[in-house]
């Protein structure tokens, strides 16, 4: 257990990833409530977005009426929003010792523009590194759903954006890409079966979050007192 003279706890950077309709927003809101209850005041954000510039780029990328573009142009637009996101939102929050939880980060580009879109892995990784200055997450959780009918049912309920409107084949590649990604970055990426019920998925994610936080020196054995010693 830490005492008041211990140095402050470090920032922790966590991302949730997964195909459209995999339940990321629901889970982020549940996990951030648990962190709030533990007194940890997480910063919850998303990509593309998080900054006024990023939100404008988001509209350009996702608005169904937005002009068509090449996959490479799209890659650079995500990267432009990300450069802003990392320098204005993520790095300052981590420097203050906050827990940052983002819905999507570099791995979305790896999967959507790289694996499914056809931009080479080496180009994607170089562009991501330039945009982020090499900032990696401490933990990335992929919400994996193998049954495409579940996703299709969920997406049928909403108006599809520019990316969601792409072919079933593209989205199949996205799901496959996330599994390939998990094998490429095993030191930080964990796949969770998002086909389970929402509370079961939440418990699995929470276990991983507690695990990374304890590695960083946080004590969540009593959730109410996690940051007591700061
Ligand atoms: P969402 O916030 O509703 O998930 O929408 C974001 C969309 O943008 C989603 O379809 C995934 C896509 N995306 C990419 O294609 N590449 C990226 O780098 C990111 C961050 C998102």
């Amino acid at each position: 257990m830490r005492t008041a003279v211990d140095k402050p706890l470090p920032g922790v950077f966590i991302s949730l990833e997964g195909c459209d309709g995999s339940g990321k927003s629901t889970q982020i809101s549940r996990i951030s409530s648990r962190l709030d209850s533990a007194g940890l005041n997480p910063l919850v954000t998303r990509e593309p977005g998080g900054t006024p510039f990023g939100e404008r780029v988001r509209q350009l990328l996702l608005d169904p009426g937005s002009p068509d573009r090449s996959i490479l142009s799209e890659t650079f637009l995500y990267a432009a929003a990300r450069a802003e996101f990392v320098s204005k939102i993520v790095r300052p929050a981590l420097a203050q010792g906050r827990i940052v939880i983002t819905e999507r980060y570099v791995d979305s580009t790896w999967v959507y523009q790289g694996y499914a879109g056809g931009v080479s892995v080496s180009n994607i990784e170089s562009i991501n590194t330039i945009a982020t200055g090499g900032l990696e997450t401490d933990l990335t959780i992929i919400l994996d759903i193998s049954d495409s009918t579940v996703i299709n049912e969920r997406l049928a309920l909403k108006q599809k954006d520019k990316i969601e409107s792409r072919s079933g084949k593209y989205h199949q590649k996205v799901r496959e890409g996330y599994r390939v990604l998990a094998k490429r970055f095993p030191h930080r990426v964990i796949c969770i079966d998002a086909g389970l019920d929402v509370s079961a998925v939440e418990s699995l994610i929470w276990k991983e979050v507690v695990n990374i936080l304890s590695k960083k020196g946080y004590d969540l054995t009593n959730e109410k007192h996690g940051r007591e010693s700061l």
Side-chain angles (χ1 to χ4, degrees):
M1 188 65 152
R2 287 173 172 266
T3 69
V5 292
D6 284 335
K7 62 179 186 188
L9 291 166
V12 183
F13 189 23
I14 299 172
S15 64
L16 249 77
E17 288 280 353
C19 64
D20 297 274
S22 56
K24 293 179 299 304
S25 310
T26 306
Q27 292 299 338
I28 287 201
S29 115
R30 288 179 173 225
I31 296 300
S32 64
S33 299
R34 289 178 84 148
L35 290 168
D36 266 333
S37 309
L40 290 172
N41 184 27
L43 176 73
V44 177
T45 183
R46 70 170 179 182
E47 271 212 77
T51 63
F53 173 79
E55 292 295 333
R56 288 288 285 276
V57 175
R58 181 184 176 90
Q59 276 171 13
L60 187 59
L61 282 162
L62 299 183
D63 187 339
S66 190
D68 288 339
R69 64 277 173 149
S70 73
I71 202 84
L72 189 60
S73 313
E74 186 174 291
T75 305
F76 281 113
L77 275 181
Y78 280 109
R82 179 163 303 133
E84 201 69 6
F85 173 74
V86 168
S87 65
K88 303 259 171 69
I89 305 287
V90 183
R91 285 192 188 275
L94 293 175
Q96 287 167 10
R98 291 190 65 187
I99 297 169
V100 178
I101 306 186
T102 180
E103 181 172 342
R104 301 191 180 280
Y105 186 49
V106 287
D107 299 312
S108 284
T109 314
W110 199 96
V111 170
Y112 280 80
Q113 283 67 48
Y115 192 87
V119 181
S120 74
V121 167
S122 62
N123 280 346
I124 291 284
E125 291 181 357
S126 302
I127 292 167
N128 277 343
T129 303
I130 293 169
T132 63
L135 181 70
E136 279 197 346
T137 58
D138 297 294
L139 171 68
T140 293
I141 291 175
I142 294 172
L143 298 188
D144 178 46
I145 296 200
S146 46
D147 183 357
S148 58
T149 50
V150 176
I151 299 287
N152 294 339
E153 276 165 21
R154 287 183 191 171
L155 291 182
L157 299 173
K158 62 181 292 229
Q159 204 209 341
K160 290 192 180 132
D161 66 31
K162 187 93 181 163
I163 300 242
E164 286 164 346
S165 307
R166 286 186 180 156
S167 70
K169 201 166 153 214
Y170 177 83
H171 288 288
Q172 176 60 36
K173 282 281 263 181
V174 165
R175 285 196 292 281
E176 193 182 299
Y178 273 119
R179 290 186 205 128
V180 176
L181 176 102
K183 291 201 183 106
R184 185 169 173 91
F185 302 106
H187 62 287
R188 64 173 176 85
V189 179
I190 306 249
C191 257
I192 281 180
D193 179 1
L196 300 171
D197 85 71
V198 179
S199 301
V201 176
E202 178 188 343
S203 301
L204 291 172
I205 298 176
W206 183 244
K207 200 169 137 227
E208 298 301 337
V209 169
V210 169
N211 187 25
I212 189 69
L213 291 180
S214 22
K215 280 191 190 148
K216 296 272 181 181
Y218 290 73
D219 180 5
L220 281 162
T221 43
N222 172 356
E223 285 185 25
K224 291 270 172 232
H225 302 288
R227 212 176 167 92
E228 193 178 47
S229 57
L230 272 185

